[in-house]
Amino acid sequence: MERVPEPQLMDGEEQAFAYANADFAEPHNRFVEMFKERFPAHCARSLKVLDIGCGAADVTIRFARALPRTTITGIDGAEAMLRLGRQAIVQAGLEGRVNVERKFLPHDALPPGPFDVVISNAFLHHLWNPAVLWSAVKASGKSGTVVFVVDLFRPPSIEAAQEIVDLTASSEPAVLRRDFFNSLCAAFRTDEVRAQLVQAKLDALQVAEVSDRHLAVWGVLKDG
């Protein structure tokens, strides 16, 4: 199946509300657990973290709770998502450690770095040009910065994409099912992500499929 790009921003009020109120506990907790499995030595450290494409900040908050010595800056281009994220941060009592900012990449400047950790969840497939993410990763890090990115990968066919939606999201609102299907069709294959990393001179990072629909990219930035 050829890739079908989707809108880069999720800035509709209905869309943002649906995402902020959906139950993403399983995949978002798994994001945190996979990070801890790959980087156990970092879990007790004081870390300055950047979350690229943080949306309504659900992963951001879960990450902050699981790694209590972190301070996290989340960035996203969708103000509707960020408004809900700011509310969630206050409700979680994490205003002192977590903040989110509107940044539409690559047009807006990144928050001041360098960061010790750069994470991103379900952002890559939104980009019309995937180099935007990998350039931001390099620009916001330094030698030794940990990188952990999780995203969908594209199924082999339209029918396979619809089957995933039917099996895993049948009880979700129609707007979420529609967006999930579109996201699967917009996602990159694992081999395409490997090629992106080579092009970005980030081929020291590892990439692998980690579920029936997710891939992960992880590793440590090197000099040069």
Side-chain angles (χ1 to χ4, degrees):
M1 174 172 63
E2 293 297 317
R3 181 181 187 236
V4 182
E6 63 177 348
Q8 294 195 103
L9 289 179
M10 299 175 64
D11 212 15
E13 295 293 340
E14 178 191 11
Q15 194 177 36
F17 183 82
Y19 270 84
N21 288 277
D23 182 7
F24 290 117
E26 190 277 328
H28 290 182
N29 284 335
R30 184 63 184 139
F31 178 99
V32 176
E33 290 305 313
M34 286 192 294
F35 178 91
K36 292 167 68 176
E37 290 165 5
R38 286 160 176 76
F39 304 104
H42 287 72
C43 294
R45 295 181 185 174
S46 297
L47 300 169
K48 181 180 179 182
V49 180
L50 177 66
D51 183 359
I52 301 177
C54 66
D58 189 66
V59 166
T60 324
I61 290 168
R62 292 175 192 272
F63 200 91
R65 285 173 167 160
L67 281 74
R69 298 184 67 188
T70 55
T71 57
I72 308 181
T73 300
I75 60 171
D76 201 278
E79 183 58 36
M81 286 286 198
L82 293 174
R83 281 195 296 272
L84 295 168
R86 293 184 188 105
Q87 294 172 15
I89 290 165
V90 171
Q91 291 170 359
L94 290 170
E95 307 99 301
R97 292 176 45 218
V98 179
N99 74 286
V100 294
E101 303 175 9
R102 186 183 184 280
K103 302 285 186 181
F104 182 63
L105 301 180
H107 305 292
D108 295 327
L110 290 161
F115 290 86
D116 303 304
V117 176
V118 179
I119 63 174
S120 182
N121 180 68
F123 175 63
L124 179 62
H125 69 267
H126 285 288
L127 295 171
W128 294 346
N129 178 7
V132 168
L133 174 58
W134 307 121
S135 295
V137 166
K138 293 176 71 173
S140 57
K142 61 183 185 299
S143 179
T145 290
V146 164
V147 177
F148 188 62
V149 173
V150 174
D151 209 284
L152 299 167
F153 65 83
R154 191 166 74 253
S157 67
I158 293 289
E159 293 76 16
Q162 188 61 58
E163 183 177 357
I164 291 171
V165 174
D166 292 342
L167 286 173
T168 61
S170 61
S171 62
E172 298 294 345
V175 62
L176 290 183
R177 296 197 304 273
R178 179 202 66 202
D179 286 351
F180 186 24
F181 176 82
N182 290 341
S183 292
L184 287 165
C185 295
F188 295 97
R189 299 192 311 263
T190 306
D191 63 305
E192 292 171 335
V193 175
R194 287 196 183 97
Q196 293 166 18
L197 295 173
V198 170
Q199 182 68 29
K201 295 183 169 53
L202 289 171
D203 44 310
L205 300 180
Q206 299 182 66
V207 56
E209 294 175 7
V210 293
S211 82
D212 63 342
R213 58 193 184 276
H214 294 99
L215 60 79
V217 177
W218 73 95
V220 177
L221 294 184
K222 310 295 185 183
D223 285 322

